[in-house]
Amino acid sequence: MAGYWRSQVSMFHFPGSTGKSSMDKMKYDPDVKIMMAGSTLRKVKSRSWKKQRHFRLLEDGLTIWYKSRWAGRGHSTFSVTELEAVREGHQSEVLLSIAEEFPANLCFTLVFHGRQGNVDLVAESPEEAQAWIQGVRKLIHKAQTMDEKERLDQWVWDWFQKADKNKDGKMNFKEVRKLLKMMNVDMNEEHALHLFTMADKSDTGSLEIEEFVHFYKILTQRDEVWKVFQDYSGDGEKLMLEELENFLRIEQQEGEQSAQHAKELIDRYEPSETAKKQSAMSLDGFQMYLCSQEGSIFKPEHRHLYQDMSQPLSHYFISSSHNTYLLEDQLRGHSSLEAYIQALKRGCRCVEVDSWDGNDGEPIVYHGHTLTSKILFRDIISTLKEYAFKTSDFPVILSLENHCGVEQQTVMAQHLRQILGDTLLTTLLDGQIPQQLPSPQELKGKILLKAKKIGGLEDCNDETLTDEVSDDEEMANGEAESPTAEDPPKSKSKLSRELSDLVVYCKSLHFHGFEHARLHAKCYEMSSFSESKAKRLTKEAGTDFIRYNTRQLSRIYPSGLRTDSSNYNPQDMWNVGCQIVALNFQTAGLEMDLNDGLFRQNNCCGYVLKPDFLRDGDTQFSPDKPEGRQGYRPLRLSIQVISGQQLPKVNQKEGSIVDPLVRVEIYGVPQDQAKEETSHINNNGFNPVWNETLNFIIHTPELALVRFVVEDYDKASRNDFIGQFTLPFMCIQAGYRHIHLLSKDGTAIPPSSLFVNVSISEFT
């Protein structure tokens, strides 16, 4: 093992004894220098809340610190790694509201990952604003482009900085003991002192940065990785090319491509030039490969756009949002343009707008008959124009729940035409009445309006048609099912012809039953179903629902009783081929984990091709009887949960250490729903080892999602959530894999991971 430790410590490259991190070079950048010197910026929360705060970038090059001049010793910090982008100028509702007071060249917005609120700032001069805008952008780029080794360097350096309380560049044993608690590891004093002494080469009773790195490496020894390495290494020191090929073929199940891949992995991950020249991989390189994206559980090829995008829209699951305008609950929540931006950035391709008559002739958007705040319809359309295609080129469906009178409906139509221009689809693609819906490929870069329509595509030029729509169509978007609606349903409601004419492939229509649809429905007619109605139809006529969904679009929306903006489980709806399964994107939890998991594949483009048995108009498939379908081939999934790495703390109290357990959950057809979990490990969130195997039988692999959840065990109350990762079963790579955990918000929490060995085989 001596060679093992020598090689492990060599992975870290802190130049000299100065303890520099990989962000260090950035400190010489003129913009970053200004940030480190500090600036007084106005933090703005509303038109009336504008307060001066002193901001500066700390020595680590990653932490932004700020405080009020009057707050005594109190201050706040956040990391550059939490930031997604910087928006320049008046690019938030708050900054727009004070545009007359502060010009755009002083203003900028820090945008955070996940659901964390943005920070709006105003600088004292345009030059200072630019320094912060450009400086933060450079730091974000640097943080995002660090390789695995740099990330680990940075992570260790950050811990050293946190633990070195007196900032003397050294750590005594007392500081190290505190650090271990901070790092989520509980170790008896004798063992901790033994490791400390091993690392204290200078015999000074304190550790400098290189010694601390050595201590860290002893602490994080990955015996489980070393054992796998030993199984294939002839001399115990390195894997020769042929040995690595054997590992890839036997353990990682790579078959024929293993030879070529072995060479590529050595070139990509081996840090030692000597080993590279020998076409060999050291333990360092092996561990770096296993921790990389290629060593992750998610098939790299499925991360890219790998599916056929030329089939009718009805053949795809479409990432869809409900009440998109809300950032919180449905009774008192804040309506915001930011909610649309966040949903679109997450790959959402169907957004919802509830429009109502505004007092000054301008339509407004909010959750009707509630205390939610209001935003202008035209501002939402402007936001849509800017952000619709930043994450994905494929079409966006604008689902309009229209409560406006004819006059303001016409205003909406004008805004849609003028703001969206050519982006808005207003005519048939080829001038022909369609027999099937166009494809995502054909509709690239287009926004489609989903709303009620006077007549059909066949009678577009029929001027004799009345502009009244029947009660059936009034209920088409599900308004009548809302428990908050105070108005009695009208027997007829007027529709603006200008707005009606903008509806092409997504005409909202009340559902009259599967038989009626089979005989009379057009492919461009679509219905909305409440979750309860959709569940009932799924149980009573699952196969009919699937056939209906091969030709027409279905939109499912959460029950109006979910005033807390909670979500239903979307899996039941996907099982019968429903495409637009709308969720409250603002609400974190299992349901959004499943949505993110399904749409993580195919370049996160918001469209996922349904399995062939959900695209066949004559299908016999029933989710309740998966064994009845042609090509039925159940699989056995075996997951050995080996270990965890650097799990985050749940309780930030200094003495609190997690007791982690891992649960694997399967979501799919009813027969596939299953959960299995490991035992919990006491007081170790740093490097827990389970070595427990969980087994599952998957009857419909094409529909199954697998969710890995890590929790902090508590025998007296509910377990606390630590992290999760969800992916489609069909995207799983077999073999020894790392699962890079995500927070409740769905954002990365490096370097937290699970190490597993996955085996997939035929079930006979």
Side-chain angles (χ1 to χ4, degrees):
M1 289 285 279
Y4 171 56
W5 289 125
R6 235 186 350 265
S7 90
Q8 284 288 285
V9 175
S10 74
M11 277 176 73
F12 291 87
H13 300 278
F14 293 99
S17 58
T18 54
K20 290 183 180 177
S21 77
S22 65
M23 300 292 283
D24 237 49
K25 294 170 196 159
M26 296 295 295
K27 292 177 189 174
Y28 302 105
D29 179 274
D31 295 324
V32 174
K33 271 185 180 174
I34 289 171
M35 291 174 66
M36 295 186 91
S39 302
T40 298
L41 306 171
R42 272 190 183 83
K43 191 177 178 200
V44 187
K45 289 188 180 177
S46 68
R47 291 183 74 155
S48 56
W49 198 103
K50 303 183 282 281
K51 300 198 175 169
Q52 289 194 323
R53 297 285 182 263
H54 188 68
F55 280 78
R56 67 184 170 90
L57 179 68
L58 297 186
E59 278 296 307
D60 64 1
L62 272 183
T63 307
I64 294 174
W65 173 101
Y66 66 96
K67 68 174 284 188
S68 157
R69 292 176 179 175
W70 304 278
R73 296 177 62 188
H75 68 270
S76 302
T77 61
F78 57 87
S79 172
V80 170
T81 58
E82 295 170 47
L83 293 174
E84 184 179 300
V86 187
R87 293 196 204 128
E88 206 168 333
H90 299 142
Q91 287 203 59
S92 77
E93 286 148 283
V94 170
L95 291 177
L96 274 169
S97 73
I98 58 163
E100 289 177 13
E101 192 178 349
F102 298 105
N105 62 4
L106 298 181
C107 300
F108 59 99
T109 302
L110 301 179
V111 182
F112 286 80
H113 289 291
R115 294 174 176 81
Q116 189 175 335
N118 298 339
V119 173
D120 291 308
L121 298 167
V122 180
E124 292 184 340
S125 71
E127 294 72 29
E128 197 160 42
Q130 274 304 307
W132 277 85
I133 290 163
Q134 298 306 328
V136 173
R137 281 178 179 164
K138 289 169 194 169
L139 291 171
I140 291 172
H141 178 73
K142 177 63 183 165
Q144 287 174 344
T145 53
M146 284 195 285
D147 61 26
E148 293 297 322
K149 188 195 72 59
E150 285 178 314
R151 275 181 214 285
L152 204 49
D153 286 0
Q154 185 69 50
W155 196 75
V156 177
W157 170 243
D158 289 347
W159 279 116
F160 185 81
Q161 293 280 85
K162 280 179 200 167
D164 183 15
K165 296 293 186 196
N166 60 5
K167 303 298 172 201
D168 63 353
K170 298 174 183 175
M171 274 176 30
N172 59 34
F173 183 62
K174 190 178 174 187
E175 286 176 316
V176 166
R177 286 287 288 152
K178 271 193 170 172
L179 172 66
L180 292 177
K181 282 267 183 0
M182 285 161 67
M183 292 174 100
N184 224 346
V185 58
D186 195 18
M187 191 182 287
N188 73 54
E189 191 151 350
E190 193 182 332
H191 186 50
L193 184 59
H194 173 65
L195 295 189
F196 182 89
T197 310
M198 278 175 69
D200 182 15
K201 302 286 187 201
S202 55
D203 281 339
T204 58
S206 62
L207 305 182
E208 293 189 7
I209 184 69
E210 289 87 350
E211 292 172 326
F212 173 68
V213 167
H214 189 70
F215 170 78
Y216 171 82
K217 288 320 299 179
I218 302 170
L219 185 67
T220 55
Q221 59 174 307
R222 297 282 306 270
D223 285 348
E224 71 278 26
V225 173
W226 184 75
K227 281 172 186 158
V228 176
F229 185 83
Q230 291 297 304
D231 285 344
Y232 285 86
S233 168
D235 63 2
E237 292 286 329
K238 59 187 175 299
L239 289 174
M240 298 309 294
L241 190 61
E242 194 178 333
E243 292 167 342
L244 181 56
E245 280 174 37
N246 288 340
F247 169 76
L248 294 174
R249 191 180 68 255
I250 297 164
E251 301 294 350
Q252 310 298 73
Q253 297 182 25
E254 289 194 7
E256 295 303 309
Q257 62 183 25
S258 59
Q260 176 60 28
H261 197 207
K263 185 80 178 77
E264 289 168 5
L265 292 179
I266 290 170
D267 290 341
R268 207 166 297 148
Y269 298 108
E270 178 49 54
S272 160
E273 289 301 323
T274 312
K276 270 187 188 174
K277 282 174 187 161
Q278 296 175 320
S279 289
M281 184 177 265
S282 67
L283 182 61
D284 286 354
F286 186 64
Q287 189 163 314
M288 285 168 81
Y289 149 63
L290 286 177
C291 291
S292 73
Q293 286 294 351
E294 284 182 277
S296 89
I297 194 165
F298 203 107
K299 285 181 181 171
E301 62 272 25
H302 283 198
R303 287 188 183 277
H304 308 299
L305 192 70
Y306 73 100
Q307 294 184 333
D308 175 10
M309 302 306 287
S310 63
Q311 300 201 26
L313 274 186
S314 54
H315 287 188
Y316 297 84
F317 296 124
I318 303 170
S319 181
S320 306
S321 160
H322 177 63
N323 287 348
T324 313
Y325 45 87
L326 289 180
L327 278 172
E328 297 161 55
D329 69 60
Q330 297 178 23
L331 294 183
R332 293 172 305 278
H334 182 54
S335 301
S336 171
L337 300 174
E338 195 60 43
Y340 284 91
I341 296 169
Q342 287 183 12
L344 291 164
K345 283 195 308 197
R346 287 180 82 154
C348 179
R349 297 287 87 191
C350 179
V351 296
E352 188 187 16
V353 174
D354 284 11
S355 62
W356 300 78
D357 282 337
N359 295 331
D360 57 355
E362 281 292 338
I364 53 172
V365 173
Y366 78 112
H367 200 54
H369 310 296
T370 65
L371 299 175
T372 56
S373 60
K374 302 169 174 65
I375 39 182
L376 290 173
F377 176 82
R378 68 167 184 237
D379 287 347
I380 289 175
I381 303 309
S382 297
T383 301
L384 198 56
K385 166 79 172 167
E386 185 171 355
Y387 288 94
F389 302 108
K390 286 202 168 175
T391 297
S392 167
D393 293 334
F394 292 106
V396 171
I397 297 168
L398 177 58
S399 179
L400 181 63
E401 192 168 309
N402 175 12
H403 304 272
C404 292
V406 174
E407 207 170 292
Q408 291 199 21
Q409 287 180 37
T410 303
V411 174
M412 284 199 291
Q414 288 164 358
H415 286 326
L416 286 163
R417 277 190 185 276
Q418 286 165 11
I419 297 169
L420 297 178
D422 292 345
T423 307
L424 181 68
L425 187 84
T426 56
T427 55
L428 290 162
L429 286 181
D430 55 6
Q432 303 296 309
I433 303 299
Q435 296 308 302
Q436 61 175 27
L437 287 166
S439 69
Q441 186 67 38
E442 291 171 299
L443 293 167
K444 256 188 172 181
K446 291 294 182 186
I447 293 172
L448 281 62
L449 182 64
K450 172 200 162 292
K452 299 165 211 167
K453 185 174 180 67
I454 302 164
L457 294 177
E458 294 78 0
D459 26 50
C460 273
N461 300 318
D462 187 349
E463 294 298 329
T464 64
L465 278 171
T466 173
D467 59 358
E468 292 181 337
V469 288
S470 70
D471 218 7
D472 275 354
E473 287 155 308
E474 181 68 10
M475 294 171 65
N477 269 3
E479 293 98 328
E481 298 200 39
S482 168
T484 56
E486 291 165 6
D487 303 328
K490 305 179 183 81
S491 56
K492 295 279 182 185
S493 71
K494 292 259 185 183
L495 201 56
S496 152
R497 186 170 286 278
E498 287 89 339
L499 190 62
S500 167
D501 286 349
L502 300 182
V503 178
V504 184
Y505 293 112
C506 298
K507 175 187 174 178
S508 296
L509 201 65
H510 184 61
F511 179 68
H512 290 282
F514 294 125
E515 187 60 19
H516 182 275
R518 192 175 64 78
L519 296 172
H520 305 290
K522 311 285 194 293
C523 66
Y524 59 82
E525 294 172 340
M526 62 177 291
S527 298
S528 290
F529 304 86
S530 70
E531 60 174 283
S532 49
K533 185 172 183 179
K535 273 186 178 168
R536 193 173 71 248
L537 290 172
T538 299
K539 279 196 171 69
E540 292 170 2
T543 305
D544 289 336
F545 210 168
I546 292 169
R547 289 176 183 170
Y548 170 87
N549 283 326
T550 62
R551 187 157 179 266
Q552 289 175 262
L553 293 175
S554 292
R555 175 177 169 272
I556 318 299
Y557 60 91
S559 156
L561 298 171
R562 293 182 182 273
T563 53
D564 59 351
S565 291
S566 59
N567 281 312
Y568 56 90
N569 188 322
Q571 187 70 49
D572 300 333
M573 318 305 171
W574 292 330
N575 287 345
V576 291
C578 297
Q579 304 87 352
I580 300 175
V581 180
L583 297 178
N584 290 300
F585 269 48
Q586 71 271 30
T587 307
L590 161 67
E591 298 81 12
M592 273 308 295
D593 291 346
L594 295 177
N595 196 77
D596 289 346
L598 175 66
F599 292 103
R600 187 163 279 120
Q601 62 185 314
N602 212 29
N603 204 29
C604 299
C605 76
Y607 285 82
V608 166
L609 188 64
K610 298 195 282 189
D612 55 3
F613 53 84
L614 295 185
R615 308 194 308 260
D616 174 7
D618 300 319
T619 187
Q620 299 299 313
F621 177 70
S622 162
D624 291 325
K625 298 191 182 68
E627 64 281 359
R629 79 171 166 102
Q630 204 173 359
Y632 168 68
R633 194 170 65 95
L635 296 173
R636 181 190 297 279
L637 171 65
S638 181
I639 297 168
Q640 182 192 7
V641 180
I642 302 171
S643 62
Q645 292 73 45
Q646 288 93 45
L647 303 176
K649 287 183 77 155
V650 173
N651 187 332
Q652 290 307 315
K653 285 182 192 162
E654 204 166 272
S656 161
I657 308 286
V658 299
D659 305 323
L661 63 83
V662 178
R663 188 169 58 254
V664 178
E665 304 171 349
I666 311 292
Y667 296 88
V669 298
Q671 258 178 274
D672 287 343
Q673 308 280 0
K675 293 178 183 182
E676 295 285 337
E677 65 183 37
T678 66
S679 54
H680 67 275
I681 305 285
N682 284 324
N683 285 333
N684 188 356
F686 191 71
N687 53 2
V689 175
W690 291 277
N691 272 327
E692 294 180 39
T693 301
L694 310 176
N695 291 302
F696 304 91
I697 306 302
I698 314 287
H699 297 272
T700 312
E702 299 90 338
L703 284 173
L705 290 167
V706 183
R707 182 173 184 251
F708 295 84
V709 194
V710 187
E711 288 181 347
D712 180 13
Y713 173 77
D714 193 325
K715 67 171 182 239
S717 62
R718 202 169 154 192
N719 293 350
D720 286 317
F721 174 91
I722 292 176
Q724 68 84 30
F725 187 77
T726 308
L727 76 164
F729 175 83
M730 301 300 282
C731 295
I732 289 179
Q733 291 203 95
Y736 285 98
R737 303 292 173 188
H738 278 89
I739 297 163
H740 300 281
L741 295 173
L742 304 174
S743 71
K744 206 177 195 95
D745 255 358
T747 55
I749 39 175
S752 300
S753 63
L754 295 175
F755 185 46
V756 298
N757 188 7
V758 180
S759 169
I760 298 170
S761 56
E762 298 231 353
F763 176 65
T764 48

